[in-house]
Amino acid sequence: MPIKIFHSADLHIGLKFSSGNYSTPIREALKEARFTTLSQMVREAGKRNCQMMAIAGDLFDHIRPTKLEIRRVVQELKTFSGDITVVLPGNHDPLSGDFWKTFKDEAGDRILLLEELHPYDLQEFGVKAILYPGPCMEKHSDPGFNQIGWIKDVPKGSGVLHIGIAHGSLEGVSPDDDKLYYLMTRGQLESAGVSLWLMGHNHSPYPLTPGLQDKIFYPGSHEPDGFNRSYPGSAWIHELSDEGTLKSERLITGQYRFLQQDIVLEGEEDILKLKEGISLDWEPSNTLLKLSLKGRLTPEELAETREILNLSGKQYLYFETDEEALGQKITPESIHKEFSKDSFPHRLLQSLSQEGDSDGLQLAYELLQEMKGAR
Amino acid sequence: MRILSLSLHPFGGISNQRVDFQPGLNIILGPNEAGKSTLYAALDRVLFTPSQLAKSRFDKEIKKYLPLSGGDTLQVQLSFEKDSNPYRLSRSWGARKGSELQLPGGQLVVEEESVQEKLQVLLPASEGTCHQVLMARQRVLHETLEDIRNEGKSVHLLGDILRQAVLQTDGISVEAFKEKVDEQYDEYFSNWDESRQMPKNGRGIENPWKNRVGKILAAWYKEAAARSSLEEGRRVYDEYESVASKLREIESSLQSDAQYLELKKEPFEKAAQSLLLAEKIKASNEVIKNLMEASRNWSLFEEGIKTLEATLPEVVSNLQSVQSEYEIARKQSSLASLRQKYKRVSEKKTFWEEAEKNIKTLPVLTEEEFKQLQKLHTEIERLKTSLIAGKLAGKIKVIHSLSLEIQKSLEGPAESMDLAAGTEYKLEAEGRLVIRHADWEMELASGTGEYQKNWEAYAAKKTQWEKVIADKGLKDLSEAETRCAAYRQALQSAQNAQMNYQQELGSQTWEELEDIIKSAGEVLQVRAEADLARESARLEHESKTMQEQLQQKKQALDKLVKEYSSSRDLFIKTGKESAQMDIWMTELANLSGGEGAGRSEEEIIRFMEDYKKRKEAYDSRNKEILELKMAQTRLEEQLPDESLEELEKEVNEAGREFQIIQRKASALARIKTKVQEILGSLDLGTYNPYLEKMETYFSTISGQNDKTASEPSGNLPTGIRRGEEDLVIPYDYLSTGTRDLFGLALRLAMADYFLQGAEGFLVLDDPLVNLDPQRQEKAARLLSDYAQHCQVILFTCHPRHAEMMEGNLIKIEQ
């Protein structure tokens, strides 16, 4: 009989979103969503008749979660209607954290903390599988060191499924230049003798579209956590047959989405496009949008652009523009047009323009405009 | 460019109107609200506002001119010529928008951008210049002049004013701009050391500036604080990981120890028990041995006491007997010795008595007496020597014979001499010469006057000596010395003999000794004293030894009695101890097997020591674990609330903010430098030709050719000085309406400056309105003259002003 596994990781419960300019309500909403999405995943796993729910590391964001956070998480996991929930310590919530004691005290007998480097036979829980975990002991590993080396040497019997679960970076996929995040190679994973690898660490899903040969899976965060990750929150449901045939389905789990777009504005046409609206595949009220605007516009165009952004920004949960690269279109012609020859502004702007001092030109122009406006 | 005509169809309140212009002065006359402003706006829009507009610009520049009566399109057509070539520019805005420029050959340019490009070339000046100078409202120029006046200089050179006016054509005061830049510069750079890229005086976040924190500094502090939090977070994390790693390492290493200790716990306990039992058995063996020995000793002590108590009295009796005999022998021996002493003392006594007798036979000359004699003799010799020390010599020449008695020595007899006449007689004497004649006596003595005194002393001593010698029966000092020595020797002999006698006698007196000898009686016969002494000592030792032994045995027996009460009890106790030992031996036999089986005691001890060592190490490591766990808990509390990734993000964000602010500050610094450069590079000479024109224009309309100057008043600028000459244009002229005159002159000069002889036009807005009638006329003449070389389009609502000027009058009806 095949087994179905709900595979999540990198939930980072307790993440504070202290960087960024989020307002307190947004910050609170983002924090809360990490719980609510967990709750939804647990329900979804039940609905989809998953026998096992696997969390492949970084369930918590740090090693000092509050007791309330631990209890809330455990309470959610306890509602899983399948046979067993397994939780692997990741590098953000490594085994060195004292809080795991509290977690285990709360967990009961259907939530299993995978803390040892030895096989966990799940048959006693009604799941015909043996798990081979690679838990993180600390935040960082020794360079190039990982926790899966022992697995290949363990004899794998037949009549039961062998599944690996590990947390760390994957060579060629995850950025880990210093090899401090339990770096694993595809070769090491594939030679371990298991039918499926339930991985955690990458906050973006991998692979995006699984092939028949794929057996190494990262679900990504269940809720995205920043603008550097544009994917929506996700999880996998793996179905593994007795023969080891794997069918994996990626679920979109997250409530919120961080999106970042670069927009070039060079004239009326671009402004019109902007006005028509930014194309998003996510509900705007659940979107955190950051636009990096680039280009040079006339003062009128610039004002119009700002007006459009001001209006359209309100529909998003969070809206931020980076206008560092956006400025007035100041050319020798526009200087001639606006200022009389030999006047001070004319001389100043022309000189800065001739020297190619774009920043100086922009700033001087802004200052001159301010002074004109003040008259 | 010269304007030929302007058609509005429609534009603002004008639905359809064409205005034709002449090359010289054009006066557009109309009451307020008649449409002069609309005409001005139409001219401005057709020249500078493209048809294709963003909504905001359309709203700002065009929308208000949409026909009030309805309609959605504005249209203006402008005919002009350039270098005698005709052009026609048409523009429409709104629903039907478009631009069209007809070139001299009839060719049409319809592309908006092309139309703009062509116009740039055809316009008399840049769009900015046109707006700010050629088509400016007079009000703008007045504001510029006010700015110049408000800059606080008491006297302005005309060249300065013209330069300032040109610089500030766009209505932006250079000084105000400089101030703004300085202010902003300060806002950015306050307390920031740009050269070292750090806070001034190195005041970092540990000692930050509290006041005047510039934007760069604030951003730097923010980044430094974020970085510090991150570093602190990393430090705590690293320390936490190090503790956790150590903890895990120890816990892991303890696993095998824990297994060993668990496995060997029972064998260790058994081994410990068996060692304890062995120890007990060994001790019990010792106890039994002691009990048995005590039992044996008990009877020995009893027997010994009995024997000693039986034999000891006989030994004591023998000892007493020998001691008595020994006492007698000792007394006899002492008496014999006394008798010998008595004999020796008697002999020495006799010898002493003989010596005493001998002394009495000798003439006495004591040592003292001899010394006195010796002293007297020495004194006599000394006096004699001094008396004879001076030798006297002389001669007597005898003239008449005579007899003399001459004494030549001290004591020698006087010599009688008869001396014949005519002879010489030589005399020599020792110290004293006495010559006596029957009639006289002459005494000669050598030396001083002491001689007589010495002589008398000598004679006295001599007499004393002779008496003493005679009394003692001595011849001389030598005999005295011999007699004294003999007497001394006899005395000495007697003393020696007495001493020997006394020594021999010792402390006793002769009488005591004599009494003892006389009362001693006869000599008794006993054994030799030495034999008796030996026998006595032997018996004394034997007795003492026996008494000691008896004492010891009694004490030992007492001790046993005290310890065991009785020999029966001792026996019972021995039995009990043996039974206990049997039990322990049985227990020990039961413990055999397990760890101790087949092992020697030494091996068991070695095993136990090894076990103990490992247990101690295990306990110590457990203690270490406890300490590490405490440290871990402590560190866990110190961990930042945010994850390191979040802290890193904060650092990056703060870093980016800092960079942006620095970039902007850097641009500001460049602007500041650039402003200085621009102002420093301006050449006053550039304006000289226009300056002269301005003076002419001003003189023409002001009539101030007498070049009188007013005195400074209050804080206001006192006037305007022309060049370095003494002409000061009083400020009064500017403040009482003449300001407009000055403004007009300045405007015309500036138009000349910008056009620089090119064909152009100047739009003026009611320039005569504030002038007195006299000056209005002059100004009107000036403008008419000016229009000779530059087209002037003048808007006015005053018919009288229009009449004053000779030109193309265009009336606008309301």
Coordinates of all heavy atoms in Angstrom, one line a residue, chain B residues 245-279:
Chain B
S245 N 28.5 22.4 21.4 CA 29.3 21.4 20.7 C 30.1 20.6 21.8 O 30.2 19.4 21.8 CB 30.2 22.1 19.7 OG 31.3 21.3 19.4
K246 N 30.7 21.4 22.7 CA 31.4 20.8 23.8 C 30.6 19.9 24.6 O 31.0 18.8 25.0 CB 32.0 21.9 24.7 CG 33.3 21.5 25.4 CD 33.9 22.8 26.0 CE 35.1 22.3 26.8 NZ 35.7 23.5 27.5
L247 N 29.4 20.4 24.9 CA 28.4 19.6 25.7 C 28.1 18.3 25.0 O 28.1 17.2 25.7 CB 27.2 20.5 25.8 CG 26.1 20.1 26.9 CD1 26.8 20.1 28.2 CD2 25.0 21.1 26.9
R248 N 27.9 18.4 23.7 CA 27.5 17.2 23.0 C 28.7 16.2 23.0 O 28.6 15.0 23.2 CB 27.1 17.5 21.6 CG 26.1 16.5 21.0 CD 25.6 16.9 19.7 NE 26.5 17.5 18.8 CZ 26.6 18.7 18.5 NH1 25.8 19.6 19.1 NH2 27.5 19.2 17.7
E249 N 29.9 16.8 22.8 CA 31.1 16.0 22.8 C 31.3 15.2 24.1 O 31.6 14.0 24.1 CB 32.3 16.9 22.5 CG 33.6 16.3 22.3 CD 34.7 17.3 22.2 OE1 34.5 18.3 21.5 OE2 35.7 17.2 23.0
I250 N 31.1 16.0 25.2 CA 31.3 15.3 26.5 C 30.2 14.3 26.7 O 30.5 13.2 27.1 CB 31.2 16.4 27.6 CG1 32.4 17.3 27.5 CG2 31.3 15.7 29.0 CD1 32.4 18.5 28.4
E251 N 29.0 14.7 26.4 CA 27.9 13.7 26.6 C 28.1 12.5 25.8 O 27.9 11.4 26.3 CB 26.5 14.4 26.2 CG 26.0 15.3 27.3 CD 24.8 16.1 26.9 OE1 24.5 16.2 25.7 OE2 24.1 16.6 27.8
S252 N 28.6 12.6 24.6 CA 28.9 11.5 23.7 C 30.0 10.6 24.3 O 29.9 9.4 24.4 CB 29.2 12.0 22.3 OG 29.9 11.0 21.6
S253 N 31.1 11.3 24.8 CA 32.2 10.5 25.3 C 31.8 9.8 26.6 O 32.4 8.9 27.0 CB 33.4 11.5 25.6 OG 33.1 12.3 26.7
L254 N 30.8 10.4 27.3 CA 30.4 9.8 28.6 C 29.6 8.5 28.4 O 29.4 7.7 29.3 CB 29.6 10.8 29.4 CG 30.4 11.8 30.2 CD1 29.5 12.6 31.1 CD2 31.5 11.1 31.0
Q255 N 29.1 8.3 27.2 CA 28.2 7.2 27.0 C 28.9 5.8 27.3 O 28.4 5.0 28.0 CB 27.7 7.1 25.5 CG 26.5 8.1 25.4 CD 26.0 8.1 24.0 OE1 26.5 7.4 23.1 NE2 25.0 9.0 23.7
S256 N 30.1 5.7 26.8 CA 30.8 4.4 27.0 C 31.2 4.3 28.5 O 31.1 3.2 29.1 CB 32.1 4.4 26.1 OG 33.0 5.4 26.5
D257 N 31.6 5.4 29.1 CA 31.9 5.4 30.6 C 30.6 5.0 31.3 O 30.7 4.1 32.3 CB 32.3 6.8 31.0 CG 33.8 7.0 30.7 OD1 34.5 6.0 30.4 OD2 34.2 8.1 30.8
A258 N 29.5 5.5 31.0 CA 28.3 5.2 31.7 C 27.9 3.7 31.5 O 27.6 3.1 32.5 CB 27.1 6.0 31.1
Q259 N 28.2 3.2 30.3 CA 27.9 1.8 30.1 C 28.8 0.9 31.0 O 28.4 0.0 31.7 CB 28.1 1.4 28.7 CG 26.9 1.8 27.8 CD 27.2 1.7 26.3 OE1 28.3 1.4 25.9 NE2 26.3 2.1 25.5
Y260 N 30.1 1.3 31.0 CA 31.1 0.5 31.7 C 30.7 0.5 33.2 O 30.7 -0.5 33.9 CB 32.5 1.1 31.5 CG 33.5 0.6 32.5 CD1 34.2 -0.5 32.2 CD2 33.8 1.3 33.7 CE1 35.2 -1.0 33.1 CE2 34.8 0.8 34.5 CZ 35.5 -0.4 34.2 OH 36.4 -0.8 35.1
L261 N 30.4 1.8 33.7 CA 30.1 1.9 35.1 C 28.9 1.1 35.5 O 28.8 0.5 36.6 CB 29.9 3.4 35.5 CG 31.2 4.2 35.4 CD1 30.9 5.7 35.6 CD2 32.2 3.7 36.5
E262 N 27.9 1.1 34.6 CA 26.7 0.4 34.9 C 27.0 -1.1 35.0 O 26.5 -1.9 35.9 CB 25.7 0.7 33.8 CG 24.3 0.1 34.0 CD 23.7 0.5 35.3 OE1 23.9 1.7 35.8 OE2 23.0 -0.3 36.0
L263 N 27.8 -1.6 34.0 CA 28.1 -3.0 33.9 C 29.0 -3.5 35.1 O 28.8 -4.6 35.6 CB 28.9 -3.2 32.6 CG 29.1 -4.6 32.1 CD1 27.7 -5.1 31.6 CD2 30.1 -4.6 30.9
K264 N 29.8 -2.6 35.5 CA 30.8 -3.0 36.5 C 30.4 -2.6 37.9 O 31.1 -2.8 38.9 CB 32.2 -2.4 36.2 CG 32.8 -2.9 34.9 CD 33.2 -4.3 34.9 CE 33.8 -4.7 33.6 NZ 34.1 -6.1 33.5
K265 N 29.2 -2.1 38.0 CA 28.8 -1.6 39.3 C 28.7 -2.7 40.4 O 29.2 -2.6 41.5 CB 27.4 -0.9 39.2 CG 27.1 -0.1 40.4 CD 25.8 0.7 40.2 CE 25.3 1.3 41.6 NZ 24.0 1.8 41.5
E266 N 28.0 -3.8 40.0 CA 27.8 -4.9 40.9 C 29.1 -5.6 41.3 O 29.4 -5.8 42.4 CB 26.7 -5.9 40.4 CG 26.2 -6.8 41.4 CD 25.2 -7.8 40.9 OE1 24.6 -7.6 39.8 OE2 25.2 -8.9 41.4
P267 N 29.9 -5.9 40.2 CA 31.2 -6.6 40.6 C 32.0 -5.7 41.5 O 32.6 -6.2 42.4 CB 31.8 -6.7 39.2 CG 30.7 -6.7 38.2 CD 29.6 -5.9 38.8
F268 N 31.9 -4.4 41.2 CA 32.7 -3.5 42.1 C 32.2 -3.5 43.5 O 33.0 -3.7 44.5 CB 32.6 -2.0 41.5 CG 33.2 -1.0 42.5 CD1 34.6 -0.8 42.5 CD2 32.4 -0.3 43.3 CE1 35.1 0.2 43.3 CE2 32.9 0.6 44.2 CZ 34.3 0.9 44.2
E269 N 30.9 -3.5 43.7 CA 30.4 -3.6 45.0 C 30.7 -4.9 45.7 O 31.1 -4.9 46.9 CB 28.8 -3.4 45.0 CG 28.5 -1.9 44.8 CD 27.0 -1.7 44.4 OE1 26.3 -2.7 44.3 OE2 26.6 -0.5 44.3
K270 N 30.6 -6.0 45.0 CA 31.0 -7.3 45.5 C 32.4 -7.3 45.9 O 32.8 -7.8 47.0 CB 30.7 -8.4 44.5 CG 29.2 -8.8 44.6 CD 29.1 -10.1 43.7 CE 27.6 -10.6 43.8 NZ 27.4 -11.7 42.9
A271 N 33.3 -6.8 45.0 CA 34.7 -6.8 45.3 C 35.0 -6.0 46.5 O 35.8 -6.4 47.4 CB 35.4 -6.2 44.1
A272 N 34.3 -4.9 46.6 CA 34.5 -4.0 47.8 C 34.1 -4.7 49.1 O 34.8 -4.6 50.1 CB 33.7 -2.7 47.6
Q273 N 33.0 -5.5 48.9 CA 32.4 -6.2 50.1 C 33.4 -7.3 50.5 O 33.7 -7.5 51.7 CB 31.1 -6.8 49.7 CG 30.2 -6.9 50.9 CD 28.8 -7.4 50.5 OE1 28.4 -7.3 49.3 NE2 28.1 -8.0 51.5
S274 N 33.9 -8.0 49.5 CA 34.8 -9.1 49.8 C 36.1 -8.6 50.4 O 36.7 -9.2 51.4 CB 35.1 -10.0 48.6 OG 35.9 -9.2 47.7
L275 N 36.6 -7.4 49.9 CA 37.8 -6.8 50.5 C 37.5 -6.4 51.9 O 38.4 -6.6 52.8 CB 38.2 -5.6 49.7 CG 39.0 -5.8 48.4 CD1 39.5 -4.5 47.9 CD2 40.3 -6.7 48.8
L276 N 36.3 -5.9 52.2 CA 36.0 -5.5 53.5 C 35.9 -6.7 54.5 O 36.5 -6.7 55.6 CB 34.6 -4.8 53.5 CG 34.1 -4.2 54.8 CD1 35.0 -3.1 55.2 CD2 32.7 -3.8 54.7
L277 N 35.3 -7.8 53.9 CA 35.2 -9.1 54.8 C 36.6 -9.6 55.0 O 36.9 -10.0 56.2 CB 34.4 -10.1 54.1 CG 32.9 -9.9 54.1 CD1 32.1 -10.9 53.2 CD2 32.4 -10.0 55.6
A278 N 37.4 -9.6 54.0 CA 38.8 -10.1 54.2 C 39.5 -9.3 55.2 O 40.2 -9.8 56.1 CB 39.5 -10.0 52.8
E279 N 39.3 -8.0 55.2 CA 39.9 -7.1 56.1 C 39.4 -7.4 57.6 O 40.1 -7.5 58.5 CB 39.5 -5.7 55.7 CG 40.4 -4.6 56.3 CD 41.8 -4.7 55.9 OE1 42.1 -5.2 54.8 OE2 42.7 -4.4 56.8

